[in-house]
Amino acid sequence: EAAFGGRIARANYGMKVYNYDNPQEHMFKLLIPKGEKLVKFSTKTMHEPLGPFPPLTDTTTQILFGLYESDTVPTYISDASCSYVASVVVDVDMSRPFSQRRYTLSINMDGPVMEGYFTDTSGKKTLIRWSSN
């Protein structure tokens, strides 16, 4: 049975977003509002993946997706109400031209652990599993 089945988000969940104006201060982008059914979010991203996300530069070899939670919806992940949940690092396909290095993320909560697919513009999918390690 799905670990997330009928669960309701107990907090606001968001992802760590690079801040071009201040690279030292990462931003919080809301993904799942407090009170939303987790399976609803999972279904939505499987049909309409998050992104596309480009690498920061043409020499960026990995993309990190960080998941955070907060009782409020903070602007920055450094906010006192914001807590780290999990992250995943995915390698960038450096053999593709920089203009084609765009990736989407879908999150699946139908199993015992949160996992998803990191998909590049050619359709190549990489299975990812979120870990709080």
Side-chain angles (χ1 to χ4, degrees), residues 14-59:
M15 65 186 286
K16 176 181 180 177
V17 177
Y18 185 79
N19 183 350
Y20 288 92
D21 294 332
N22 183 357
Q24 303 304 315
E25 189 74 66
H26 295 287
M27 301 180 82
F28 179 95
K29 177 180 169 129
L30 182 65
L31 296 177
I32 307 171
K34 188 175 186 175
E36 183 172 310
K37 288 186 177 182
L38 296 177
V39 73
K40 177 182 173 185
F41 174 75
S42 174
T43 302
K44 180 180 176 183
T45 69
M46 293 306 284
H47 291 94
E48 297 173 27
L50 304 171
F53 303 102
L56 293 177
T57 69
D58 63 349
T59 60

Side-chain angles (χ1 to χ4, degrees), residues 68-83:
Y68 290 79
E69 69 179 15
S70 179
D71 285 333
T72 63
V73 180
T75 301
Y76 303 103
I77 64 168
S78 61
D79 187 282
S81 71
C82 195
S83 299

Side-chain angles (χ1 to χ4, degrees), residues 19 38 54 63 67 87 91-92 108 114 117 126:
N19 183 350
L38 296 177
I63 295 178
L67 185 65
S87 63
D91 292 329
V92 171
N108 182 356
M114 188 165 60
Y117 290 99
T126 301

